[in-house]
């Protein structure tokens, strides 16, 4: 009997099953009963383990293979007919070649295994913002994660109907051999093939692969935006809630910002935060000419290390039940721990992320400390469990975006906050973002890389066309959100952070919203508008003398150096780069020469 009422879907499942040769095919219906059955099965095989059900009800533990702990950008490809359509920032493979190479690995790889069919919706089921995908996978871990991260099950199939379009997402663990691992995107076919990995970012295909790479390609054609952005609402003492969307490169504190807790001084005034999303925003111009955004996901796939009751109490509260922990320390009492987490790990009997006996202070043969949790270890948790979750999560049109914020991790150069002069200037600010590499990507940590709009690893087409698309979107809006850049990570000469960050960042968001409403004057500098220091609400926050001035210092010499590196980056796009970005670049050059920093 046919598995679904959609002939195209049935045919595709058949073809993929013929290639992968699973013993069984099971349709994921989204029911609690099926979820329990699959969890029992995965516990029996050791794929996951139940944690202490009294202390962490509904929580599971999982370890990935040791060579499979992060996204693999060097094995991630955009497979378009023309190489130029993938652009200079993506790895490219011809579609035929991609299918051929991956098929060699997929062929027969599910013998003795089950293929699960997961129908899922990115965005509220049936919303005009949403897209449907179907993931085929041989991993119960993937199924359980997808049930947290997306709306999955029968309801989605019912909405898809007999003729609806969907993204074909095929995942197989195969041998989990790094030499037989490929993450392939076929935007022209609306398809994703991921083989040889079990790590979230490579295998939860609704997330980076569909909701960013494939969606960005579709969004350009349909005139919307698929962005690597958090969405958060800020409720002011008057009760008014304004929403911002913010892009930061991986592991720059996006999850922390998305669910921040206002500092006491602002809380008593009546400020509240509403979390809409921590990673991805899909944004459309609605009939009112304004920009509206949804979070297409329903969960967090957050980095565990560094999450504690000071940095992110809401994340900690979110992960107390129904959460999957991956590659963290397993305590003998069935609880979990990670570096810079809460409390102490067990003094004896704990296992590290590799499954080896581990205790605090352990060192290797060279005397180097051995980490208990992998630096990119993760929690997968339902957004509904977040104490600050927005009451608009399921709203079909999402929330109206008042401001767009770009950010990076820069020890020097970029001031704490500055505002673009115009939409085009804001697009230039986004296109020239740069940050230091973190543990979420495979490769060398610490080095600075350009990461336009935090989309470098996630844009499914030529980024020059992506910039053009951003510029065009601005023209189409009747009411454009104002665009800002923030840098929470600026340091003094001794390498100390100048700004306390975390909940204190709300003080900067307040200024951003006031500027979005044209409520405040600002200081015009060469790079953009910066605050008059008196306009930053410093209730109950005392910084060392001179710190605020340093946070807003603009060093024209350093900026000129930066611009040389920007020019080099822009040149890689040849004449496909919109002229408007070069015009913005030259205008900034002129302003740096003529204007300098008018505050000094
Ligand atoms: C992530 C990322 O969200 O790497 O995991 O950006
Ligand atoms: Mn991300």
């Amino acid at each position: 009997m046919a598995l679904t009422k959609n002939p195209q879907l049935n045919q595709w499942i058949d073809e993929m099953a013929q290639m992968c040769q699973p013993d069984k095919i099971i349709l994921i219906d989204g029911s609690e009963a099926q979820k329990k059955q699959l969890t029992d099965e995965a516990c029996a095989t050791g794929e996951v383990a139940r944690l202490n059900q009294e202390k962490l009800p509904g929580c599971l533990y999982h370890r990935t293979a040791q060579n499979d702990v992060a996204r693999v950008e060097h094995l991630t490809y955009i497979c378009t007919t023309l190489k130029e359509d993938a652009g200079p920032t993506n790895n490219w493979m011809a579609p035929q070649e991609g299918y051929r190479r991956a098929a060699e690995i997929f062929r027969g790889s599910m013998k003795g295994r089950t293929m699960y069919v997961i129908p899922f919706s990115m965005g509220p089921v049936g919303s005009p913002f949403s897209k449907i995908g179907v993931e085929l996978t041989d991993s119960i871990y993937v199924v359980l994660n997808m049930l947290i991260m997306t709306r999955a099950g029968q309801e989605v199939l019912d909405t898809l109907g007999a003729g609806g379009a969907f993204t074909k997402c095929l995942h197989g663990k195969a041998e989990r051999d790094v030499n037989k691992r490929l993450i392939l995107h076929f935007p022209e076919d609306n398809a994703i093939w991921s083989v040889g990995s079990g790590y979230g970012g490579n295998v939860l295909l609704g997330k980076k692969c569909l909701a960013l790479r494939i969606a960005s390609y579709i969004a350009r054609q349909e005139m919307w935006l698929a962005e690597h952005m958090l969405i958060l609402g800020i409720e002011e003492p008057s009760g008014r809630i304004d929403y911002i969307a913010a892009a930061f490169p991986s592991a720059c504190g996006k999850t922390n910002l998305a669910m921040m807790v206002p500092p006491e001084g602002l809380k008593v005034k009546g400020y509240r935060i509403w979390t809409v999303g921590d990673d991805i925003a899909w944004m459309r111009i609605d009939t009112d000419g304004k920009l509206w955004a949804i979070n297409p996901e329903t969960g967090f796939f957050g980095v565990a290390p560094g999450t504690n009751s000071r940095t992110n109490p809401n994340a900690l509260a979110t992960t107390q039940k129904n959460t999957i922990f991956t590659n963290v320390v397993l305590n003998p009492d069935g609880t979990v721990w990670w570096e810079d987490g809460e409390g102490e790990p067990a003094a004896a009997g704990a296992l590290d992320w590799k499954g080896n006996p581990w205790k605090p202070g352990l060192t290797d043969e060279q005397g180097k400390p051995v980490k208990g949790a992998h630096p990119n270890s993760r929690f997968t948790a339902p957004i509904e469990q977040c104490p600050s979750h927005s009451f608009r999560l399921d709203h079909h049109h999402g929330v109206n975006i008042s401001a767009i914020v770009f950010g990076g991790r820069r020890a020097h150069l970029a001031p704490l906050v500055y505002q673009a002069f115009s939409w085009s200037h804001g697009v230039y600010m986004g296109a020239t973002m740069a940050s230091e590499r973190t543990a979420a990507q495979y490769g060398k940590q610490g080095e600075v890389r350009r990461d336009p709009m935090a989309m470098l690893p996630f844009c499914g087409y030529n980024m020059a066309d992506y910039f053009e698309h951003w510029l065009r979107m601005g023209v189409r809006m009747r009411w454009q959100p104002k665009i800002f850049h923030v840098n929470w990570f600026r340091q003094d000469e001794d390498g100390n952070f100048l700004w306390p960050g975390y909940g204190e960042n709300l003080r900067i968001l307040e200024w951003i919203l006031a500027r979005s409403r044209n409520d405040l004057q600002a200081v015009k500098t060469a790079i953009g508008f910066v605050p008059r220091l008196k306009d930053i609400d410093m209730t109950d926050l005392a910084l060392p003398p001179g710190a605020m001035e340093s946070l807003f210092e603009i060093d024209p010499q350093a900026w000129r150096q930066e611009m040389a590196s920007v020019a080099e980056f822009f040149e890689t796009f040849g004449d496909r780069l919109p002229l408007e970005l070069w015009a913005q670049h030259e205008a900034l050059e002129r302003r740096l020469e003529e204007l300098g920093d008018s505050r000094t």
Side-chain angles (χ1 to χ4, degrees):
M1 209 187 75
L3 206 59
T4 76
K5 295 200 178 96
N6 187 307
Q8 201 204 344
L9 174 55
N10 294 334
Q11 190 189 334
W12 173 65
I13 296 170
D14 274 354
E15 283 168 13
M16 297 303 104
Q18 266 171 36
M19 175 172 69
C20 301
Q21 296 177 26
D23 285 9
K24 267 194 300 185
I25 301 179
I26 291 182
L27 181 66
I28 298 303
D29 60 16
S31 69
E32 276 306 311
Q34 188 187 49
K35 183 171 148 195
K36 177 167 182 316
Q37 196 187 332
L38 291 175
T39 306
D40 289 346
E41 201 179 314
C43 288
T45 60
E47 189 175 350
V48 299
R50 277 198 174 83
L51 289 166
N52 185 320
Q53 294 300 294
E54 258 164 49
K55 293 184 177 159
L56 295 168
C59 290
L60 300 172
Y61 182 83
H62 175 76
R63 283 192 194 103
T64 65
Q66 289 180 29
N67 71 359
D68 191 18
V69 291
R71 287 186 288 101
V72 279
E73 287 171 19
H74 63 296
L75 301 173
T76 299
Y77 290 82
I78 302 298
C79 306
T80 42
T81 309
L82 299 178
K83 186 170 185 199
E84 305 83 83
D85 289 345
T89 60
N90 280 313
N91 300 315
W92 174 82
M93 211 186 278
Q96 263 189 340
E97 162 88 353
Y99 285 127
R100 188 188 57 75
R101 281 182 51 188
E104 271 171 28
I105 312 171
F106 271 121
R107 198 162 294 123
S109 66
M110 295 190 190
K111 273 188 194 146
R113 299 180 186 173
T114 300
M115 175 189 268
Y116 301 96
V117 178
I118 317 170
F120 63 94
S121 173
M122 299 311 293
V125 179
S127 157
F129 275 70
S130 303
K131 296 285 175 199
I132 288 177
V134 179
E135 178 159 355
L136 309 182
T137 179
D138 55 2
S139 158
I140 297 183
Y141 171 74
V142 168
V143 174
L144 298 176
N145 273 273
M146 287 293 283
L147 287 171
I148 296 175
M149 297 303 295
T150 71
R151 296 149 173 102
Q154 187 58 44
E155 192 196 359
V156 178
L157 277 187
D158 295 344
T159 305
L160 180 68
F166 61 95
T167 305
K168 303 186 220 67
C169 309
L170 175 66
H171 165 248
K173 290 182 286 192
E175 295 161 52
R176 281 186 295 173
D177 173 351
V178 70
N179 297 312
K180 294 183 189 166
R181 183 173 297 161
L182 287 170
I183 321 295
L184 307 180
H185 304 74
F186 304 92
E188 292 156 359
D189 299 343
N190 198 7
I192 302 159
W193 280 22
S194 162
V195 68
S197 172
Y199 168 74
N202 300 325
V203 301
L204 307 180
L205 300 185
K207 193 175 182 60
K208 304 300 189 182
C209 300
L210 193 165
L212 289 176
R213 298 194 190 97
I214 294 291
S216 61
Y217 179 91
I218 297 173
R220 176 165 174 249
Q221 290 167 340
E222 297 180 353
M223 277 317 275
W224 51 282
L225 292 167
E227 298 301 324
H228 190 201
M229 288 181 173
L230 64 89
I231 308 167
L232 106 157
I234 297 147
E235 180 172 335
E236 305 205 333
S238 66
R240 171 188 178 133
I241 306 178
D242 283 311
Y243 295 87
I244 66 163
F248 296 83
S250 303
C252 274
K254 240 162 85 217
T255 302
N256 294 346
L257 186 66
M259 48 185 106
M260 69 152 93
V261 173
E264 213 40 52
L266 299 193
K267 200 188 286 172
V268 296
K269 288 189 185 176
Y271 281 94
R272 279 183 82 168
I273 293 296
W274 298 99
T275 306
V276 182
D278 80 324
D279 198 37
I280 298 174
W282 283 3
M283 305 194 280
R284 277 180 191 269
I285 305 169
D286 216 325
T287 44
D288 58 1
K290 295 182 175 175
L291 192 63
W292 290 72
I294 62 158
N295 168 14
E297 303 187 288
T298 51
F300 305 121
F301 182 63
V303 176
T307 306
N308 59 49
S309 57
R310 186 183 63 86
T311 58
N312 196 338
N314 280 331
L316 218 55
T318 308
T319 54
Q320 295 310 295
K321 57 181 184 185
N322 307 320
T323 297
I324 302 173
F325 294 95
T326 302
N327 290 344
V328 298
V329 172
L330 179 60
N331 285 324
D333 69 346
T335 59
V336 290
W337 186 86
W338 49 79
E339 275 73 16
D340 264 332
E342 206 56 12
E344 295 302 318
L351 298 176
D352 69 7
W353 69 274
K354 296 177 177 169
N356 295 327
W358 182 87
K359 59 176 194 265
L362 189 73
T363 52
D364 66 13
E365 294 99 62
Q366 280 92 47
K368 283 217 309 255
V370 176
K371 288 207 154 83
H374 188 275
N376 193 33
S377 54
R378 299 278 175 152
F379 53 79
T380 318
I383 190 167
E384 277 170 13
Q385 291 179 189
C386 179
S388 61
H389 79 263
S390 164
F391 51 88
R392 289 192 141 224
L393 285 180
D394 286 317
H395 196 285
H396 276 209
H397 286 243
V399 296
N400 175 215
I401 297 299
S402 300
I404 289 176
V405 179
F406 294 120
R409 182 184 280 269
R410 298 302 299 262
H412 307 286
L413 194 81
L416 181 56
V417 61
Y418 61 107
Q419 181 189 350
F421 295 125
S422 64
W423 179 268
S424 304
H425 180 218
V427 173
Y428 173 82
M429 260 161 47
T432 56
M433 266 169 66
S435 200
E436 286 152 24
R437 206 189 273 272
T438 69
Q441 307 106 23
Y442 185 92
K444 204 162 138 215
Q445 287 189 39
E447 102 201 341
V448 169
R449 74 165 179 176
R450 305 230 80 82
D451 191 353
M453 277 89 167
M455 282 289 278
L456 186 84
F458 305 121
C459 186
Y461 60 102
N462 191 317
M463 280 201 113
D465 300 345
Y466 168 77
F467 300 144
E468 177 84 55
H469 177 56
W470 261 83
L471 291 166
R472 270 198 264 153
M473 283 291 292
V475 176
R476 286 227 172 174
M477 274 176 244
R478 222 171 316 138
W479 194 95
Q480 301 162 340
K482 301 274 194 322
I483 301 182
F484 300 81
H485 187 284
V486 299
N487 176 22
W488 315 132
F489 301 96
R490 192 144 170 176
Q491 297 175 6
D492 65 15
E493 280 96 65
D494 303 323
N496 304 309
F497 288 114
L498 283 160
W499 179 249
Y502 303 108
E504 310 294 349
N505 293 337
L506 180 55
R507 301 171 194 277
I508 304 306
L509 300 185
E510 269 188 275
W511 181 79
I512 285 176
L513 290 181
R515 285 291 297 168
S516 303
R517 293 192 296 258
N518 295 320
D519 278 356
L520 281 177
Q521 299 280 314
V523 182
K524 192 171 180 190
T525 74
I527 62 165
F529 293 114
V530 300
R532 299 175 299 192
L533 293 187
K534 70 180 170 73
D535 290 331
I536 306 279
D537 185 342
M538 295 296 275
T539 315
D540 287 352
L541 176 65
L543 294 190
M548 283 304 268
E549 286 75 8
S550 303
L551 278 161
F552 287 102
E553 223 152 51
I554 298 161
D555 173 356
Q557 184 54 30
W559 274 90
R560 272 191 280 271
Q561 263 170 30
E562 176 78 0
M563 292 190 66
S565 122
V566 167
E568 231 171 79
F569 178 64
F570 277 2
E571 272 153 18
T572 62
F573 296 98
D575 52 17
R576 207 144 162 165
L577 193 88
L579 285 176
E580 177 61 28
L581 288 188
W582 279 121
Q584 287 293 337
H585 190 75
E586 280 151 25
L588 174 55
E589 236 157 25
R590 272 198 309 278
R591 289 195 304 269
L592 277 168
E593 261 157 44
E594 287 163 19
L595 191 72
D597 177 4
S598 67
R599 281 180 319 141
T600 51

